[in-house]
């Protein structure tokens, strides 16, 4: 699975959009980009995933660059409850395979 | 979405005790489940892959005799920390995919504190 690089931490004002970047420059053609988040002392929660097209669901939007070497997770209107560690993971088409977690980005949403 | 539960949520035990942690898929069957360990302020680290009806696959550096995994049914995997020591104190999390091509669903985690 391709290695991903994320900033260690980010702050965001409540109500504003949170844009979390992820670099995955060695991603291969059949690897998806998955985003999970972990709120303190809880198990990780799936957010969204994509291959090459931009994706949107009720939680977030995922923007993948045309060369697929990077992506951005967008939380359109961040709330205090979105404060968590966000993990970007690039894995093969079979998401049932094990997930390798990097350091993630610690997002702090402030009032 | 699918639900994965863990029991217990938190356990405190004396050094030398064996502790069993259960991971259940509540509304789906999981032939494969994964066990992770997370130390404070660190990321999750995969310990082993639990396979229903066969032996678990352990990651490098994880002692299979120390961390016993049993996946006896399609909805239950157990992790037993044998002869626990303070350095085994950690947050243990399991996960399971709904289907092999889907995202994984994580349990709420079990916090183990060994005195």
């Amino acid at each position: 699975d391709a290695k991903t690089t994320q900033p260690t931490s980010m702050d965001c004002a409540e109500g504003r959009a949170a844009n979390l970047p992820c670099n995955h420059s060695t991603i291969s053609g059949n690897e998806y980009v998955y985003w999970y988040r972990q709120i303190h002392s809880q198990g990780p929660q799936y957010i969204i995933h994509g291959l090459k097209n931009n994706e949107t669901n009720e939680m977030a939007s995922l923007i993948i660059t045309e060369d697929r070497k990077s992506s951005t997770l967008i939380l359109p209107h961040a709330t205090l409850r979105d404060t968590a560690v966000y993990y970007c993971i690039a894995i093969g088409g079979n998401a049932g395979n094990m997930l390798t977690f990097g350091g993630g980005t610690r997002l702090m949403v402030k009032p | 979405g699918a639900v994965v539960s863990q029991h217990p949520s938190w356990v405190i035990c004396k050094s030398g005790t064996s502790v069993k942690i259960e991971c259940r898929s509540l509304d789906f069957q999981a032939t494969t489940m994964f066990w992770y360990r997370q130390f404070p302020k660190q990321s999750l680290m995969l310990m082993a892959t639990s396979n229903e009806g066969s032996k678990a696959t352990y990651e490098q550096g994880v002692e299979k005799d120390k961390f016993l995994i049993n996946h006896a049914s399609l909805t239950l995997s157990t992790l037993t920390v044998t002869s626990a020591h303070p350095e085994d104190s950690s947050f243990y999390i399991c996960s399971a995919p709904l289907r092999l091509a889907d995202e994984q669903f994580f349990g709420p985690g079990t916090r183990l504190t060994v005195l």
Side-chain angles (χ1 to χ4, degrees), chain B residues 11-20 66 81-89 112-115:
Chain B
V11 57
I12 303 173
C13 68
K14 294 182 178 179
S15 186
T17 306
S18 291
V19 177
K20 179 187 285 188
K66 170 78 172 175
V81 183
T82 62
S83 187
H85 288 92
E87 57 267 29
D88 298 322
S89 297
L112 171 63
T113 302
V114 185
L115 303 177

Side-chain angles (χ1 to χ4, degrees), chain A residues 8-65:
Chain A
T8 304
S9 63
M10 289 181 63
D11 289 345
C12 176
E14 186 179 18
R16 305 295 290 267
N19 299 296
L20 293 91
C22 178
N23 286 325
H24 31 78
S25 57
T26 61
I27 195 169
S28 61
N30 68 341
E31 288 185 311
Y32 287 74
V33 179
Y34 274 76
W35 283 83
Y36 287 79
R37 73 178 181 184
Q38 186 179 26
I39 296 170
H40 183 62
S41 294
Q42 296 183 24
Q45 176 190 23
Y46 165 82
I47 301 173
I48 199 168
H49 75 281
L51 184 62
K52 51 185 176 181
N53 296 324
N54 297 337
E55 301 289 343
T56 296
N57 63 20
E58 65 278 3
M59 289 183 69
S61 294
L62 174 61
I63 308 298
I64 302 174
T65 58

Side-chain angles (χ1 to χ4, degrees), chain A residues 38 41-44, chain B residues 2-11 19-26 28 33-38 44 47 75-81 90-96 104-112:
Chain A
Q38 186 179 26
S41 294
Q42 296 183 24
Chain B
V3 178
V4 175
S5 70
Q6 284 184 239
H7 176 80
S9 301
W10 194 1
V11 57
V19 177
K20 179 187 285 188
I21 302 171
E22 294 184 348
C23 176
R24 293 182 185 274
S25 56
L26 295 186
F28 67 103
M33 292 182 175
F34 301 94
W35 286 97
Y36 296 83
R37 179 168 54 181
Q38 185 176 34
L44 286 79
M47 299 176 65
T75 59
L76 173 64
S77 174
T78 60
L79 168 67
T80 301
V81 183
S90 188
F91 193 50
Y92 291 85
I93 306 169
C94 70
S95 74
Q104 292 194 35
F105 295 90
F106 287 81
T110 296
R111 186 164 302 283
L112 171 63

Side-chain angles (χ1 to χ4, degrees), chain B residues 48-68:
Chain B
T49 302
S50 175
N51 304 298
E52 189 269 335
S54 64
K55 292 183 179 180
T57 304
Y58 291 82
E59 293 302 297
Q60 192 172 15
V62 178
E63 301 174 55
K64 60 181 66 177
D65 295 331
K66 170 78 172 175
F67 299 98
L68 301 179

Side-chain angles (χ1 to χ4, degrees), chain A residues 34 36 89 91 95 97-101, chain B residues 34 36 46 104 106:
Chain A
Y34 274 76
Y36 287 79
I89 304 171
I91 59 175
N97 288 337
M98 62 194 77
L99 300 179
T100 302
F101 288 83
Chain B
F34 301 94
Y36 296 83
L46 180 69
Q104 292 194 35
F106 287 81

